[in-house]
């Protein structure tokens, strides 16, 4: 952009030019009261009768209640002031911006059509929007100016609507903004301001694919539109197009290089929960940001969130790629853990656990229990780390501390129950399972008990039946309860079947105690198997129904 340097004195030639034009000097002089009207700069059009057409156009514009054209004498004086020998479309816009004109025109007149023909572009100096007036004609300079003015005046409503559209978007009145933008674009299809407002409104309405399409249309006209590049990145993220989002953000950074802009873009992506894209944006700045604590903290937060999101989506491979970046940033942002609050510390403990670095997790968690001795969550993480290396007694003691600090801490009873089971303390475990089911995690408790019972059914049907009895007690009617009923019935059947077969094998001198025990177990198993509706239950039910009368008969014989 050309820099205008004001001159102290007007040149003699410039003064003579201003005087010469004074006789046909339509418009107002700069500094004159505009009556609240917007200024329009209309330089002489190129070609035959161009100055006359421009002067007639200034007169028409100045006669309106909303706009006033700058007199040619003032234009010439400003050119002299800033050392501009001649205008072109670029310098005309720059000069118009200097004098705070809302619009500037540039055009060419040729002979043809009804006498004179013109192509004129009128540019909004603030937004860059252009009103294109092509192939307009008139018999005389006055008639041609009238045709240009008529087209300009009809387009002003589009300019007003584009401004209204962005006002509504700023106020987050998305539907009103979208309506105004669409109306503006119907009048001025190439309005960058209206396209940006429309894209913003669509994004606010969470119509992200339409927003992205509009941003791309705007960027095709203005590839370096910074706000559009950011908006397109946000919309691409929201539409699940992370690669495209990173592309838009990187284009923004080409226009605005440097660490501050990079952190701003990454923070924007993170705010929209596209953490992986935010991490990609930050990574090229890692070398530059090595000694920047704020950068390293942002890098840690973003990398942790990216890894945690990947884990939640079942993508452990991505999590394992990004978590080490978080650990490195943690070390840079919080040397020796200094300055890290309990939340950040717990996040790092979680990363160590996920990465299988149990020793580091336990060391950090143990230190944290000293620093945050009354924080139940820290003790919970410490207990989890201890459980990962089968230190059950220590883990149970840590869970005890969690419950002591906060008896309602979510997951504490369930995790302590599992630790007690692993430590062989079944009764304590069942008590904890029952306590855990009193909270919001009833279904989780039932699922855990079902898994535990089914897992030991073949090796220890007695333990399985006991565990599944509690699961059955806690389960709500439905598919899960039916499933529990089948496994519990099967566990009871598995205990009864060998006893019953032993009795049958020695029917001449049966063991009455075995017969009674088998009968009791079968009588408990039968309604459970029938309730389950499981396809595999049919054969078991048939066997049970055969054995029950036999065992009853054995016991009825007496002696």
């Amino acid at each position: 952009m050309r820099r205008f340097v004001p001159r102290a004195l007007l040149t003699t030639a410039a003064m003579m030019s201003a005087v010469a034009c004074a006789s046909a000097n339509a418009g107002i002089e700069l500094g004159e009261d505009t009556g609240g009207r917007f200024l329009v700069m209309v330089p002489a059009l190129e070609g035959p009768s161009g100055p006359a057409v421009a002067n007639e156009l200034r007169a028409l514009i100045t006669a309106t209640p909303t706009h006033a054209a700058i007199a040619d004498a003032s234009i010439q004086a400003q050119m002299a002031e800033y050392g501009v020998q001649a205008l072109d479309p670029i310098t005309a816009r720059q000069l118009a911006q200097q004098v705070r004109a809302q619009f500037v025109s540039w055009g060419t007149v040729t002979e043809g059509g009804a006498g004179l023909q013109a192509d004129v572009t009128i540019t909004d100096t603030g937004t860059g929007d252009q009103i294109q007036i092509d192939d307009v004609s008139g018999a005389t300079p006055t008639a041609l100016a009238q045709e240009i003015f008529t087209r300009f005046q009809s387009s002003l409503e589009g300019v007003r609507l584009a401004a209204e559209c962005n006002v509504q978007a700023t106020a987050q009145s998305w539907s009103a903004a979208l309506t105004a933008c669409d109306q503006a674009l119907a009048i001025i299809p190439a309005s960058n301001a209206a396209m940006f407002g429309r894209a913003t409104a669509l994004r606010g309405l969470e119509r992200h694919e339409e927003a992205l399409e509009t941003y791309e249309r705007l960027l095709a006209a203005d590839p370096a539109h910074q706000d559009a590049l950011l908006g397109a990145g946000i919309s691409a993220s929201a539409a699940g197009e992370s690669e495209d989002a990173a592309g838009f953000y990187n284009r923004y950074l080409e226009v605005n290089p440097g660490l501050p802009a990079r952190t701003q873009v990454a923070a924007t992506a993170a705010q929209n929960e596209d953490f992986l894209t935010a991490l990609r944006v930050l990574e090229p700045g890692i070398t530059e940001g090595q000694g920047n604590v704020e950068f390293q903290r942002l890098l840690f937060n973003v990398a942790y969130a990216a890894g945690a999101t990947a884990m939640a989506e079942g993508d452990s491979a991505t999590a394992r790629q990004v978590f080490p970046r978080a650990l490195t940033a943690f070390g840079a942002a919080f040397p020796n853990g200094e300055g890290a609050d309990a939340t950040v510390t717990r996040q790092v403990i979680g990363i160590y656990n996920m990465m299988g670095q149990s020793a580091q997790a336990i060391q950090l968690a143990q230190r944290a229990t000293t620093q945050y001795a009354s924080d139940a969550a820290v003790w919970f993480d410490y207990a989890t780390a201890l459980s990962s290396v089968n230190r059950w007694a220590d883990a149970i003691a840590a869970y005890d501390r969690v419950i002591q600090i906060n008896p309602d801490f979510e997951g504490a009873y369930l995790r302590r129950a599992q630790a007690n089971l692993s430590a062989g303390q079944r009764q304590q475990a069942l008590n904890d399972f029952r306590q855990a089911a009193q909270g919001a995690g009833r279904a989780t408790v039932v699922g855990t008990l079902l898994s535990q019972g089914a897992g030991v059914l073949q090796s220890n049907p007695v333990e399985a039946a006991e565990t599944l009895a509690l699961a059955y007690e806690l389960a709500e009617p439905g598919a899960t309860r039916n499933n529990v009923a089948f496994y519990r019935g099967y566990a009871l059947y598995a205990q009864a079947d060998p006893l019953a077969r032993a009795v049958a094998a020695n029917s001449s001198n049966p063991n009455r105690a075995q017969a009674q025990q088998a009968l009791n177990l079968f009588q408990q198993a039968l309604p459970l198997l029938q309730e389950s509706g499981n396809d595999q239950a049919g054969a078991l039910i048939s066997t049970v129904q055969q054995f029950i009368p036999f065992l009853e008969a054995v016991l009825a014989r007496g002696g």
Side-chain angles (χ1 to χ4, degrees):
M1 178 176 180
R2 181 168 180 174
R3 182 178 179 84
F4 295 105
V5 181
R7 295 184 175 181
L9 299 174
L10 296 174
T11 63
T12 303
M15 289 190 292
M16 291 177 64
S17 176
V19 171
C21 296
S23 60
N25 199 23
I28 67 170
E29 301 292 336
L30 286 174
E32 186 179 334
D33 183 12
T34 66
R37 294 175 293 174
F38 294 104
L39 291 175
V40 180
M41 190 175 106
V42 184
L45 279 68
E46 296 181 317
S49 301
V53 173
N55 198 60
E56 294 287 351
L57 185 56
R58 292 186 204 108
L60 291 167
I61 292 171
T62 305
T64 69
T66 57
H67 292 79
I70 302 170
D72 185 60
S74 284
I75 296 174
Q76 297 298 324
Q78 290 299 311
M79 289 173 62
E81 178 75 12
Y82 289 105
V84 179
Q85 299 301 317
L87 293 175
D88 57 36
I90 295 175
T91 55
R93 180 177 174 183
Q94 292 171 341
L95 186 61
Q97 289 172 327
Q98 292 291 328
V99 300
R100 300 187 177 182
Q102 183 189 20
F103 293 105
V104 60
S105 67
W106 189 263
T108 302
V109 178
T110 57
E111 293 180 346
L116 296 174
Q117 188 168 323
D119 294 324
V120 179
T121 300
I122 301 175
T123 302
D124 185 322
T125 60
T127 66
D129 283 353
Q130 293 184 334
I131 299 171
Q132 196 66 39
I133 302 173
D134 293 329
D135 298 326
V136 62
S137 60
T140 65
T142 300
L144 180 58
Q146 182 63 58
E147 290 297 323
I148 295 170
F149 173 73
T150 300
R151 296 269 291 273
F152 169 61
Q153 197 169 36
S154 66
S155 296
L156 284 178
E157 178 63 9
V159 175
R160 186 195 70 77
L161 286 166
E164 175 65 16
C165 149
N166 282 279
V167 168
Q168 295 292 347
T170 301
Q172 298 185 6
S173 298
W174 306 123
S175 295
L178 183 59
T179 298
C181 290
D182 285 341
Q183 290 174 342
L185 288 167
I187 299 171
I188 310 175
S191 170
N192 287 356
M195 277 192 281
F196 179 74
R198 183 177 194 274
T200 303
L202 288 167
R203 180 159 59 85
L205 292 168
E206 297 185 358
R207 292 162 60 178
H208 297 294
E209 291 183 356
E210 294 175 78
L212 183 56
E213 181 182 347
T214 306
Y215 280 126
E216 288 176 331
R217 178 181 162 195
L218 171 54
L219 289 167
D222 185 0
H225 194 299
Q226 297 177 31
D227 290 335
L229 287 169
L230 282 177
I234 294 170
S235 292
S237 291
E241 303 292 342
S242 294
E243 292 291 339
D244 289 344
F248 288 119
Y249 290 139
N250 285 329
R251 284 172 59 185
Y252 175 85
L253 291 170
E254 289 174 5
V255 180
N256 287 284
L259 202 62
R262 189 171 295 281
T263 55
Q264 176 197 354
V265 171
T268 298
Q271 286 169 3
N272 288 277
E273 299 185 356
D274 190 356
F275 301 112
L276 196 56
T277 295
L279 181 59
R280 289 174 181 157
V281 168
L282 287 176
E283 284 179 330
I286 287 176
T287 300
E288 185 181 355
Q290 281 183 343
N292 188 316
V293 172
E294 291 304 315
F295 176 85
Q296 294 296 333
R297 290 185 178 184
L298 176 61
L299 179 59
F300 167 77
N301 289 332
V302 165
Y304 171 78
T309 300
M311 285 294 295
E313 294 173 350
D315 186 0
S316 59
T318 297
R320 288 185 176 277
Q321 289 176 357
V322 302
F323 274 148
R325 180 71 76 192
L327 292 175
T328 301
F330 174 76
F334 306 99
N336 299 317
E338 295 178 6
D341 61 20
T343 299
V344 170
T345 302
R346 292 186 60 223
Q347 289 170 342
V348 176
I349 294 169
I351 293 175
Y352 281 137
N353 277 327
M354 185 271 166
M355 299 292 290
Q357 300 177 25
S358 301
Q360 293 91 327
I362 291 171
Q363 182 181 21
L364 181 58
Q366 188 172 31
R367 189 167 69 233
T369 59
T370 300
Q371 188 174 1
Y372 306 105
S374 297
D375 191 318
V378 169
W379 281 96
F380 185 85
D381 288 344
Y382 180 43
T384 301
L386 292 166
S387 296
S388 70
V389 293
N390 300 335
R391 288 173 56 179
W392 304 119
D394 292 335
I396 291 167
Y399 285 127
D400 289 345
R401 178 64 177 144
V402 174
I403 293 168
Q404 180 185 8
I405 296 170
N406 181 4
D408 298 322
F409 192 91
E410 184 177 357
Y413 286 103
L414 179 59
R415 291 289 187 87
R416 190 172 71 175
Q418 293 169 319
N420 274 314
L421 268 182
S422 298
Q425 300 174 172
R426 287 189 49 74
Q427 192 54 54
Q428 293 93 321
L430 294 176
N431 290 339
D432 276 343
F433 277 127
R434 185 171 277 104
Q435 185 66 40
Q438 302 306 309
R442 189 184 189 91
T444 301
V445 171
V446 172
T448 301
L449 289 166
L450 174 58
S451 177
Q452 180 69 28
V456 298
L457 195 153
Q458 298 298 331
S459 61
N460 193 338
V462 175
E463 179 181 324
E466 185 180 0
T467 300
L468 292 165
L470 179 57
Y472 184 80
E473 173 191 328
L474 298 174
E476 299 287 348
T480 300
R481 183 185 173 98
N482 292 344
N483 205 22
V484 173
F486 172 76
Y487 280 103
R488 184 181 173 217
Y490 186 84
L492 293 166
Y493 171 91
Q495 297 174 61
D497 185 68
L499 295 173
R501 294 186 185 280
V503 171
N506 192 20
S507 58
S508 60
N509 186 26
N511 185 319
R512 293 178 58 79
Q514 284 185 332
Q516 185 64 63
Q517 184 180 3
L519 179 60
N520 291 341
L521 290 167
F522 276 140
Q523 287 174 334
Q524 294 177 64
L526 181 59
L528 291 167
L529 293 170
Q530 291 171 330
E531 176 188 346
S532 72
N534 190 292
D535 292 341
Q536 301 177 53
L540 301 178
I541 292 170
S542 178
T543 301
V544 171
Q545 288 174 333
Q546 292 175 22
F547 267 125
I548 286 178
F550 166 73
L551 294 169
E552 288 175 336
V554 168
L555 293 170
R557 289 203 300 265

